[in-house]
Amino acid sequence: MMDRIVREVEQSPIYQHRVQASAGSRRRTFANATARAAVVAAEELDVRAIVAFTQTGSTALLLSCYRPDREVIALTPSESVYQRMALYWGVAPFRTELADHTEDMIKQVEQTLRAERYAQTGDEIVIVMGVPVLRHGETNTVNMHRMS
């Protein structure tokens, strides 16, 4: 019953207007701009999913706030962050190892998406991450990626 009510409210033009208005009033940070760019790119390119690497969950939360019409797949090495992200709107969290390099992160994305049947070879996805990789709070990169 609650699911039906929530879905109906989220389809309302009034609700959509409020979400867009609140998104526009967010702080002007690299992380916020990166999340917004990822959502816009995902919708424009009609990609399969948006994938976020996050150590704290903040990247997944930012993406969730924009209410993308794609599922957000969030990868984290932290059990507590994994559990918290399960409560975020539109986010499917997964545990993964901490990667040292961008190339390793992309490999983990492909392995997870294949294993969980979210994507396959040739599918396009948007990946959001921070570079340098091991620094907290550095969400600053959007990568448009085709699954190999």
Side-chain angles (χ1 to χ4, degrees), residues 40-106:
V40 169
E43 291 171 357
E44 288 290 320
L45 297 171
D46 195 27
V47 301
R48 190 85 165 136
I50 302 170
V51 181
F53 268 94
T54 182
Q55 293 181 48
T56 65
S58 62
T59 301
L61 183 59
L62 275 174
L63 289 165
S64 176
C65 288
Y66 283 104
R67 299 295 193 259
D69 61 3
R70 308 281 177 278
E71 189 154 25
V72 175
I73 312 300
L75 305 178
T76 185
S78 167
E79 178 65 27
S80 63
V81 171
Y82 164 79
Q83 290 176 5
R84 187 170 55 247
M85 289 190 306
L87 301 174
Y88 296 171
W89 183 95
V91 174
F94 293 95
R95 289 283 313 275
T96 189
E97 297 296 317
L98 185 62
D100 294 335
H101 303 287
T102 304
E103 298 81 21
D104 296 335
M105 292 170 87
I106 292 172

Side-chain angles (χ1 to χ4, degrees), residues 88-138:
Y88 296 171
W89 183 95
V91 174
F94 293 95
R95 289 283 313 275
T96 189
E97 297 296 317
L98 185 62
D100 294 335
H101 303 287
T102 304
E103 298 81 21
D104 296 335
M105 292 170 87
I106 292 172
K107 286 178 187 173
Q108 287 178 345
V109 165
E110 289 202 355
Q111 289 171 351
T112 301
L113 293 181
R114 273 194 183 81
E116 300 297 328
R117 299 181 192 272
Y118 278 102
Q120 57 192 358
T121 301
D123 285 344
E124 295 172 329
I125 58 173
V126 172
I127 303 172
V128 182
M129 66 184 111
V131 175
V133 174
L134 298 177
R135 222 185 257 171
H136 288 279
E138 292 289 330

